[in-house]
Amino acid sequence: MSNDANDLSHAFPPATGAGVPSAVAALPALFAEESRVRAFAAVALGAGDAAQVARAAGLSAKETAGALRRLREHGVVTSGDDGGLTVAQGRFRELARAARPAAETAGTPGAAGGGREGMILRTFVKDGRLVRLPARWTRKKVVLRHIAEQTFAPGAEYPERTVDGKLRAWCEDGEVDHVTLRRHLVDFGHLRRSGGTYWCPAEPARAGTA
């Protein structure tokens, strides 16, 4: 990793805990600056340090350092297990929960509030974490579709390293590891794979919940 990335890692640790509502309100302003959007997109697509971000985003070293600094201040970019830059997917789920109506903030997935799918998701997904995968095929399809829709943008391409980083956040303290989850997402058609690149189909097939 470059010195820029190391300096940013020590100076601006990801924001957590208090101030979540204000952080939600600040996101539009954070991404109103084009350089931050481009830097964030570069990290999401696998750029692991400031030099790689600069090349992928077409930014100068100064623009890159400023953009990464602001992204780290808001906790949406952080350092992964390997020390490289990564999107803080858990932070986005934290902000999403804070932005939901009060009835949904108790860890209920977005589809909760009624219906068969809501009941399935409340059973198998808790506080943005996958507790376990259901044994029944149609229920498993519902859970996997929910994870795919919450994690990947339709049509966007992701290297395997980025996919694994996003899925690890779902698997913390659960019974399923990220490699197994990735394989199920591919097997059930919620992720497509070609070589080392993955993408979420624009219109994934929906299944019943019997």
Side-chain angles (χ1 to χ4, degrees):
M1 185 187 298
S2 70
N3 290 334
D4 284 341
N6 280 324
D7 290 343
L8 291 170
S9 174
H10 289 92
F12 297 99
T16 56
V20 170
S22 61
V24 172
L27 280 180
L30 174 65
F31 288 107
E33 170 58 50
E34 182 182 357
S35 64
R36 296 170 201 157
V37 176
R38 290 163 66 178
F40 180 85
V43 173
L45 293 175
D49 59 33
Q52 292 176 10
V53 170
R55 286 195 299 270
L59 300 172
S60 68
K62 182 178 180 180
E63 289 172 324
T64 300
L68 290 176
R69 181 171 62 249
R70 292 292 289 160
L71 292 170
R72 282 186 175 277
E73 285 176 340
H74 286 264
V76 297
V77 166
T78 185
S79 296
D81 295 338
D82 60 358
L85 294 171
T86 187
V87 170
Q89 194 66 33
R91 177 61 169 167
F92 279 102
R93 284 200 291 275
E94 178 186 12
L95 296 176
R97 286 196 296 270
R100 290 174 187 160
E104 294 186 14
T105 56
T108 303
R116 183 99 172 140
E117 289 193 8
M119 181 187 72
I120 292 170
L121 293 175
R122 284 194 296 271
T123 301
F124 295 99
V125 180
K126 303 287 187 182
D127 295 322
R129 300 289 188 271
L130 175 63
V131 178
R132 65 185 186 280
L133 281 172
R136 188 175 297 182
W137 187 90
T138 50
R139 295 182 180 182
K140 187 179 294 182
K141 186 83 172 178
V142 169
V143 173
L144 291 171
R145 184 177 66 240
H146 172 77
I147 291 174
E149 290 175 347
Q150 295 295 312
T151 308
F152 304 103
E157 295 185 348
Y158 304 88
E160 186 168 280
R161 170 180 174 272
T162 300
V163 171
D164 286 348
K166 289 176 177 292
L167 296 182
R168 280 192 187 96
W170 285 96
C171 297
E172 291 178 7
D173 302 320
E175 297 180 3
V176 181
D177 63 82
H178 70 280
V179 175
T180 300
L181 179 56
R182 168 162 50 82
R183 185 176 67 248
H184 278 297
L185 287 168
V186 172
D187 290 346
F188 278 70
H190 294 299
L191 276 181
R192 303 285 173 79
R193 175 178 58 199
S194 178
T197 301
Y198 295 75
W199 68 95
C200 184
E203 296 182 0
R206 298 181 70 88
T209 59

